[in-house]
Amino acid sequence: MLKIYDCIATAHDLRLVLLAGVVCALSSYAAVGLLRHARNSIGATRSIWLAVSATTIGFGTWATHFIGMLAFSPNVPTGYNVTLTVLSLVAVIVLTGVGLAIAAHAKSRVGMAVGGVVIGGGVAAMHYTGMAAYEIAGTVVWDVALVAVSIALGAMLGAAALPVGLKNSTETWKINGALLLTAAICSHHFTAMAAVTILPDPRIVVSETAIPSTWIAIGVGIASFTIILLALAGLALDLRERRRSDLEGDRMKGLANAAVEGLLICDGNDIVTVNDSFGQLIACETSHLVGASVEECFVDPAIWDLLKAHPNKALESTLRRQDGKQVPVELILRPIDFGGRVHHVVAVRDLQARKRNEEHIRFLALHDGLTELPNRTFLNTRMDEEISLAQSRGEKFAVLCLDLDRFKEINDLFGHLAGDNVLKTVANRVKAVLTERQIMARLGGDEFAILMPSLSSPSEAGRLADTVIAALRVNGGTPETNTISSSVGIALYPDDGTDKQTLLTHADTALYRAKSDERGSYRFFEAKMGAEVRDRRFLEHDLRHALARNELRLVYQPQKNLQTGQITGFEALLRWEHPTRGDVSPAIFIPIAEESDVILAIGQWVLNEACREAAGWSKPLTIAVNVSAVQLYQARFVQTLHQTLIETGLSPHLLELEITETALIRDFTRALHTLRGVKALGVRIAMDDFGTGYSSLSNLRAFPFDRIKIDRSFVKSVHTNDQAAAIVRAVLGLGRGLNLTVLAEGVETADELNFLRNELCDDVQGFFIGRPGAIETFSDRPLESCDLEVTLRNAS
Ligand code: C2E
Ligand code: CA
Ligand code: CA
């Protein structure tokens, strides 16, 4: 130590030593700054900055050395070998370049220290090559121990300098690093100089080609100037960089926060920064997330490795929010250069809305929009599943087809909104009586199906049908949802079919049967139903064209007053001559027409035809026209009737509408309203088929009837059948009490007629009086059975 001190203090010009130190510090400072730039850059730019840094430190070391040598005054002639001098400069630039490159690429402090050691080596190489270039009139003797110490010092301090200088981006650490590097170079140089002892020897001559010290001074001057320039350049660059990165940082943050998607940037597994959207998504303060492990953000931590393995590929995962909730997200990872290092930026897209939409679309595809019941597609899938399940377990299941009675009328009467309301009510009422495994689907219009799995016996399906029908019949809600009537058809797996199409068709056939037999009931499928139903469908189809094809006509049946023995009027009865089947009974085709809307057109045609006919009669005979319930509930029934009377010119009191009791009870208020309207026109009203329906006294009183028609089933053999006689007497009494005339239908024999005459029945109708026939048959000749001649038509 003393020897080194002596060397500096006595063998050197101290002013020059100071200068050497300043030049060295300056170059070190510039080199550390440039190294930082190199680390923050990538590719070719990094190499350029490394070269500039190596040049700076190389020239710095070189200048330090030669200023040191100028300060060293051995008082004997000296000079420098040109080649070795240049070589020493090249050596230091190359070696420090290698050291800097190692440090620039290093991921750890150890790596940086290794770079520093290499730089220390470069300094030593420079020094001893420089000493080899030194020519002096004397012999140089080396202290080997100090040589070793000098190399060790350079390497050790160099190793310390780089990790310190690169610790972070602050100026303090940069200066500390530069000071350590200066210390490495200077300590090496002066220790190495202390290892030198010069023994003057006048016999040794400095070669003529050797550069004199003055030249070296000039070289050193230029080198120093270069260093100062490079140092300033480095500084300027540093300032610019810092301003730019501040600006860039702000811009980046602004941009990131403007993004709707969540963004997070990670260094390794650590979160470096996140935007506000991500903070909101994960329900956490953004500042709390910085430094946290990114894997903790996800329910499945393995997603992180998967993302890194598939950059730029969208992957779905689940985010774990701070409040414990889970959010479905889509993630895309992209590697970026951030602050000179490879980072991972992850775009996080919230999939909650999309998932909700997908869910909704799936729901819409499989459900009916109005009632939210499963649709046909859904039912088909479930039936397939149920079939394979029932097959494997050897179980039975049932398919129930359900259809609302007279739904079309509800739509017509109350409007489509009310119709929708009824469908929704049906869905709710039925769902309420079903178990979890039983599924109700809407097949379209007012058609529904119920799938009833795991059936132990067919009667179970019957009970469910009863429950459903009863649930719909419940009183409550709006007028249109009050007592909804429905019919049900049932098909069983595997008895009635083993595939879904057959099962549904058969349940539908059974439903059709239920509707035509007795509305508001259920029927099981029976094999013979199939053909009947098909037949009905064909008839329905033909009926639609019957009017246009002129296949309909009216026949007339006389009605006679028993007191006067006079024909008082006729009942118009419809006939259909089918092109291939011949005459089809109205008892068959009228119910079919009533199930579709065909009855409206047909009914209007009958009314028109009958009124037109009756208006042409010379005698004031009444004309009775049968009116179906479907017609009665038509919104503009009374107006249309009025219009018909005006157009045909028939006096209203000659028209009698025959209405059955069942037509009234469906909607009491509405029927009453319509019938009052009819009555107000002056048209008469008869209650048809009395005794077969409800035969309620209150109905007779409430509605404005003029006449009761006793059904022919009570008239048949009335003179011998006591029960029938009792009923007929009761009805006759009722008529007298309510001041209504009574007509007995279906009188076929003289005995029946005598009985009725004795019981003071007002009017009669039947084959015994006259069979229904074309009106011409009554106009020209006497009616045989009633010994009365009726001239119906004017001579004209
Ligand atoms: P309804 O209104 O009770 O008509 C009387 C039915 O009894 C007629 O049958 C008639 O031919 C039959 N009949 C008359 N006298 C006798 C008799 O002495 N003995 C027997 N066994 N039967 C007798 P039809 O013409 O086959 O009509 C059947 C039903 O079709 C009618 O019953 C009526 O409900 C309906 N209908 C007929 N024409 C029309 C119409 O224009 N509009 C509507 N809505 N329904 C009609
Ligand atoms: Ca009738
Ligand atoms: Ca009748």
Side-chain angles (χ1 to χ4, degrees):
M1 201 59 187
L2 191 70
K3 200 166 175 197
I4 299 166
Y5 171 78
D6 270 352
C7 166
I8 296 168
T10 57
H12 285 78
D13 179 339
L14 280 179
R15 286 165 306 178
L16 284 173
V17 169
L18 197 70
L19 179 65
V22 170
V23 168
C24 184
L26 211 60
S27 66
S28 298
Y29 178 78
V32 173
L34 289 163
L35 175 59
R36 283 184 174 187
H37 277 298
R39 268 178 76 86
N40 288 350
S41 326
I42 45 168
T45 324
R46 176 182 275 193
S47 307
I48 290 168
W49 286 124
L50 280 175
V52 177
S53 180
T55 311
T56 314
I57 195 80
F59 268 101
T61 313
W62 193 79
T64 306
H65 176 82
F66 282 101
I67 296 167
M69 292 308 289
L70 287 176
F72 183 67
S73 38
N75 296 323
V76 281
T78 54
Y80 294 92
N81 178 291
V82 183
T83 318
L84 286 173
T85 304
V86 173
L87 188 69
S88 70
L89 178 61
V90 173
V92 72
I93 291 176
V94 171
L95 278 171
T96 49
V98 172
L100 289 169
I102 292 171
H105 290 93
K107 301 251 181 288
S108 67
R109 314 224 150 264
V110 180
M112 294 173 196
V114 170
V117 170
V118 175
I119 291 172
V123 171
M126 188 273 127
H127 183 87
Y128 289 107
T129 317
M131 286 309 288
Y134 192 47
E135 291 186 13
I136 188 165
T139 320
V140 179
V141 181
W142 292 96
D143 178 338
V144 181
L146 276 178
V147 168
V149 171
S150 76
I151 295 171
L153 268 176
M156 270 157 45
L157 288 168
L162 292 196
V164 168
L166 297 175
K167 188 173 172 99
N168 61 28
S169 59
T170 59
E171 193 62 22
T172 321
W173 287 103
K174 186 175 170 183
I175 291 170
N176 289 343
L179 285 175
L180 276 170
L181 197 55
T182 309
I185 297 165
C186 291
S187 65
H188 168 81
H189 178 83
F190 291 106
T191 312
M193 289 311 288
V196 171
T197 309
I198 292 163
L199 305 171
D201 184 349
R203 288 168 304 167
I204 299 171
V205 188
V206 176
S207 66
E208 279 181 4
T209 52
I211 320 165
S213 295
T214 8
W215 284 60
I216 283 294
I218 294 167
V220 166
I222 293 168
S224 305
F225 185 69
T226 313
I227 291 159
I228 289 165
L229 272 186
L230 287 174
L232 286 175
L235 192 70
L237 208 93
D238 198 43
L239 287 173
R240 213 189 68 188
E241 178 88 346
R242 200 161 302 166
R243 263 205 312 275
R244 205 188 67 190
S245 78
D246 280 359
L247 216 75
E248 198 121 290
D250 285 352
R251 237 182 27 216
M252 281 260 282
K253 225 184 172 91
L255 212 67
N257 280 337
V260 182
E261 287 181 354
L263 289 173
L264 69 147
I265 297 174
C266 296
D267 184 1
N269 286 359
D270 299 335
I271 297 175
V272 175
T273 181
V274 302
N275 70 350
D276 291 349
S277 299
F278 185 77
Q280 278 158 16
L281 203 59
I282 202 164
C284 182
E285 197 73 45
T286 51
S287 57
H288 292 174
L289 288 165
V290 175
S293 165
V294 66
E295 287 163 317
E296 284 168 21
C297 297
F298 302 106
V299 173
D300 173 19
I303 186 71
W304 184 240
D305 286 335
L306 214 64
L307 279 170
K308 285 194 289 189
H310 303 281
N312 295 317
K313 190 172 168 210
L315 297 175
E316 288 192 12
S317 185
T318 313
L319 208 64
R320 194 200 304 280
R321 281 165 60 102
Q322 295 291 303
D323 54 17
K325 283 195 202 131
Q326 302 192 348
V327 181
V329 285
E330 185 182 74
L331 305 167
I332 300 179
L333 176 141
R334 204 160 282 176
I336 54 155
D337 173 63
F338 188 72
R341 283 168 60 86
V342 176
H343 284 62
H344 291 120
V345 60
V346 183
V348 185
R349 182 174 298 164
D350 183 358
L351 293 187
Q352 287 179 106
R354 200 180 87 188
K355 292 273 174 196
R356 266 200 302 275
N357 286 345
E358 282 173 2
E359 190 67 30
H360 189 58
I361 289 168
R362 243 197 315 280
F363 183 86
L364 288 181
L366 293 174
H367 290 78
D368 160 51
L370 176 70
T371 59
E372 298 199 339
L373 286 176
N375 61 14
R376 195 181 281 274
T377 318
F378 187 106
L379 183 77
N380 280 340
T381 326
R382 277 311 313 274
M383 276 183 77
D384 282 337
E385 287 169 11
E386 205 51 56
I387 286 170
S388 52
L389 204 73
Q391 201 170 29
S392 65
R393 293 184 184 168
E395 280 181 354
K396 278 178 190 288
F397 72 87
V399 181
L400 286 74
C401 274
L402 187 140
D403 174 308
L404 305 186
D405 299 332
R406 307 194 171 91
F407 178 66
K408 194 186 168 309
E409 280 169 45
I410 295 175
N411 264 336
D412 290 350
L413 280 179
F414 300 102
H416 286 274
L417 228 63
D420 288 354
N421 189 22
V422 167
L423 294 173
K424 280 191 263 188
T425 309
V426 166
N428 291 335
R429 286 186 187 169
V430 176
K431 265 195 292 187
V433 299
L434 296 183
T435 66
E436 199 122 291
R437 289 197 58 203
Q438 296 167 350
I439 292 168
M440 185 197 202
R442 183 179 173 206
L443 305 181
D446 61 337
E447 280 175 66
F448 301 87
I450 297 169
L451 185 65
M452 187 187 187
S454 309
L455 210 62
S456 49
S457 78
S459 60
E460 237 183 301
R463 276 202 298 279
L464 179 66
D466 264 338
T467 314
V468 167
I469 292 168
L472 290 176
R473 208 181 279 142
V474 162
N475 256 308
T478 46
E480 69 271 16
T481 60
N482 222 340
T483 61
I484 298 168
S485 163
S486 64
S487 307
V488 177
I490 306 169
L492 302 173
Y493 172 93
D495 314 54
D496 301 332
T498 50
D499 65 282
K500 57 174 186 284
Q501 204 42 59
T502 312
L503 283 168
L504 276 172
T505 312
H506 286 173
D508 194 47
T509 303
L511 167 69
Y512 208 77
R513 171 43 84 69
K515 277 182 94 103
S516 50
D517 279 2
E518 183 191 351
R519 296 196 162 187
S521 68
Y522 73 85
R523 290 288 180 276
F524 281 95
F525 173 76
E526 290 163 28
K528 68 173 167 49
M529 281 179 186
E532 278 176 38
V533 166
R534 261 198 306 283
D535 202 48
R536 275 178 80 102
R537 292 260 152 100
F538 282 132
L539 269 186
E540 184 182 323
H541 172 261
D542 293 345
L543 197 54
R544 289 188 183 277
H545 305 286
L547 250 185
R549 290 180 187 158
N550 247 333
E551 292 165 6
L552 299 179
R553 72 191 149 85
L554 287 182
V555 291
Y556 298 83
Q557 186 175 31
Q559 298 175 332
K560 185 172 103 166
N561 184 281
L562 278 179
Q563 304 302 309
T564 62
Q566 297 277 327
I567 296 293
T568 54
F570 289 87
E571 176 177 2
L573 292 162
L574 189 58
R575 292 291 175 265
W576 177 23
E577 199 182 329
H578 189 276
T580 54
R581 295 170 195 241
D583 274 341
V584 183
S585 162
I588 291 175
F589 73 80
I590 292 289
I592 295 176
E594 282 178 333
E595 267 159 32
S596 56
D597 49 359
V598 191
I599 190 67
L600 296 178
I602 291 178
Q604 183 53 42
W605 179 84
V606 169
L607 195 65
N608 219 59
E609 192 66 15
C611 291
R612 200 180 46 73
E613 174 63 42
W617 296 338
S618 56
K619 287 192 175 178
L621 299 172
T622 58
I623 178 79
V625 177
N626 293 286
V627 173
S628 155
V630 182
Q631 287 173 272
L632 201 65
Y633 287 102
Q634 226 190 332
R636 295 177 52 80
F637 178 75
V638 178
Q639 285 95 318
T640 318
L641 178 67
H642 191 195
Q643 190 70 25
T644 310
L645 287 169
I646 292 170
E647 279 170 13
T648 57
L650 181 70
S651 166
H653 73 271
L654 292 179
L655 178 65
E656 186 169 273
L657 300 186
E658 295 193 4
I659 289 147
T660 59
E661 200 175 5
T662 39
L664 305 176
I665 49 114
R666 203 180 317 142
D667 184 348
F668 190 92
T669 330
R670 179 128 199 128
L672 187 61
H673 180 77
T674 304
L675 290 188
R676 281 191 180 147
V678 170
K679 196 84 189 121
L681 292 177
V683 173
R684 293 158 53 85
I685 304 165
M687 177 176 275
D688 205 356
D689 303 344
F690 192 76
T692 59
Y694 300 82
S695 308
S696 120
L697 183 61
S698 63
N699 282 345
L700 272 184
R701 278 189 16 199
F703 290 94
F705 288 110
D706 298 284
R707 192 207 294 265
I708 304 171
K709 291 185 82 175
I710 305 179
D711 190 72
R712 63 173 179 270
S713 56
F714 304 105
V715 176
K716 193 171 173 63
S717 315
V718 69
H719 56 290
T720 54
N721 184 330
D722 290 347
Q723 224 176 351
I727 292 173
V728 170
R729 282 195 195 97
V731 176
L732 288 169
L734 211 59
R736 276 191 286 278
L738 292 171
N739 206 17
L740 306 172
T741 60
V742 177
L743 181 145
E745 287 190 290
V747 181
E748 292 182 350
T749 63
D751 290 337
E752 290 163 359
L753 186 73
N754 285 334
F755 177 88
L756 293 164
R757 186 178 284 131
N758 292 340
E759 293 297 331
L760 301 175
C761 180
D762 303 292
D763 303 285
V764 285
Q765 181 182 344
F767 292 167
F768 189 69
I769 320 312
R771 286 182 176 263
I775 197 66
E776 293 78 17
T777 54
F778 305 104
S779 55
D780 303 319
R781 58 197 175 87
L783 293 167
E784 289 156 28
S785 54
C786 63
D787 50 66
L788 248 174
E789 191 178 311
V790 189
T791 308
L792 292 167
R793 296 190 173 235
N794 279 330
S796 61

